[in-house]
Amino acid sequence: MTTTTASTKPWADTPLALIPTPIYLTKKHDLFTAGASHMCMVHNSIFRGYNSIYHQAPHVIEEDKAAFIGYCLTWDKFLKSHTDNEDISLFPRTEELLGDKTIFLESHKEHDTFMPGLAKFHEYLTTLPSPNHFSGPKLIEIMVSFQDTLEAHMRSEITTIANLSTHANTPQAGSQKEKDTQAEFDKREGEKIREAGMTDVMPFFLFNFDCEYEDGLWKDWPPIPGPVRWGLINVAKVLHPGWWKFASCDGARRRRELYAVAGLK
């Protein structure tokens, strides 16, 4: 009789625990429950990216250090561009829609709690004399310095957006205004991720997505045609061949064992 035991090797669901989507929790699909859920899936990709870096940093071998640094800097670019998009586009447009300038006051303040740490992360990786000088423990030390504030913000922001469902000025559920606003928000979010980088940030998002999350609820999201998604993944593999082996998911967006810890017992 053959028995199997669960792997004790870490995966990209710790130390930052993934966030349940409001749609999965409530089964509601109104404008802001859906918006918060889509945002949640982006946040979870950022979390998996963080976790994949955190667990693999101490185990990267010399010949892989340059590629790992490239992977880390792409995560940095992903988070920075996502935060900038919120401050410049998403928050102001939502405030305009609801006629309320107070709804994201805390979110703006929370950005300031982790962005200095992210700047140190970027500075460390971009000022190394050479890839061989990379230190996994040093990078983790920097990451831990903003881990709690990053996690707290990412979680609270989902709650903030979902709670807008009950705002007095939210478009009525099922109305044409709600449908038009949802289409506008989805279009803008997709454009912002593409603007952040079609050959680095977008593939990073997809390589850390996990299409089987929440019982496969998100397997068809985001609504990117299959051939386009295939092209994005494969062009990224050609342009940055060493980066994606560190990702938490494969080209089909299914979770896989983390590369740098695969040989650990």
Side-chain angles (χ1 to χ4, degrees):
M1 179 178 178
T2 301
T3 59
T4 59
T5 57
S7 174
T8 58
K9 296 173 186 174
W11 190 67
D13 49 1
T14 65
L16 299 183
L18 302 177
I19 311 170
T21 65
I23 283 180
Y24 186 78
L25 294 174
T26 68
K27 314 308 178 190
K28 296 178 181 179
H29 292 268
D30 60 82
L31 174 63
F32 286 114
T33 300
S37 297
H38 297 165
M39 181 71 75
C40 187
M41 292 304 291
V42 176
H43 285 192
N44 280 339
S45 185
I46 291 171
F47 274 17
R48 292 187 194 96
Y50 178 101
N51 293 338
S52 66
I53 293 168
Y54 179 94
H55 287 304
Q56 295 181 94
H59 308 291
V60 176
I61 60 177
E62 287 295 323
E63 64 192 55
D64 284 336
K65 284 186 174 180
F68 187 69
I69 290 168
Y71 179 76
C72 293
L73 285 172
T74 305
W75 177 80
D76 168 74
K77 183 180 178 183
F78 184 11
L79 178 54
K80 180 67 164 58
S81 62
H82 175 72
T83 303
D84 288 346
N85 170 45
E86 291 177 339
D87 287 335
I88 296 169
S89 179
L90 176 65
F91 291 172
R93 177 64 185 96
T94 305
E95 290 166 351
E96 178 185 355
L97 173 70
L98 301 181
D100 188 343
K101 296 290 188 180
T102 68
I103 52 180
F104 291 118
L105 289 178
E106 289 304 312
S107 293
H108 279 296
K109 293 177 183 177
E110 289 166 4
H111 283 175
D112 294 336
T113 65
F114 67 84
M115 290 304 289
L118 185 64
K120 291 179 182 177
F121 178 92
H122 179 87
E123 180 183 16
Y124 171 69
L125 293 171
T126 55
T127 58
L128 290 168
S130 73
N132 290 340
H133 287 81
F134 170 80
S135 165
K138 176 60 178 177
L139 187 68
I140 290 176
E141 178 185 334
I142 296 170
M143 295 171 72
V144 169
S145 73
F146 65 91
Q147 176 178 302
D148 290 347
T149 51
L150 172 64
E151 180 175 18
H153 164 68
M154 293 298 216
R155 292 184 181 282
S156 69
E157 188 171 84
I158 301 305
T159 301
T160 296
I161 295 173
N163 286 344
L164 295 178
S165 296
T166 60
H167 193 283
N169 297 331
T170 292
Q172 184 176 355
S175 67
Q176 189 60 48
K177 184 176 182 181
E178 182 193 51
K179 295 175 183 177
D180 291 345
T181 303
Q182 180 69 72
E184 176 195 340
F185 281 7
D186 287 348
K187 181 173 182 290
R188 181 184 289 111
E189 183 62 27
E191 288 175 347
K192 292 302 179 182
I193 293 180
R194 288 192 293 273
E195 288 173 9
M198 289 290 284
T199 62
D200 50 12
V201 170
M202 177 64 86
F204 192 102
F205 166 64
L206 296 173
F207 271 113
N208 287 284
F209 185 83
D210 188 6
C211 66
E212 296 173 335
Y213 183 65
E214 294 185 334
D215 304 322
L217 178 63
W218 303 99
K219 63 182 178 64
D220 297 321
W221 193 87
I224 302 173
V228 175
R229 183 182 296 134
W230 183 90
L232 285 168
I233 292 292
N234 285 280
V235 168
K237 286 180 178 179
V238 171
L239 294 177
H240 309 294
W243 294 4
W244 312 116
K245 62 188 175 187
F246 298 109
S248 62
C249 299
D250 60 21
R253 302 184 303 153
R254 292 188 175 90
R255 59 184 289 168
R256 66 182 177 190
E257 187 173 42
L258 296 179
Y259 171 81
V261 302
L264 301 182
K265 294 182 180 180

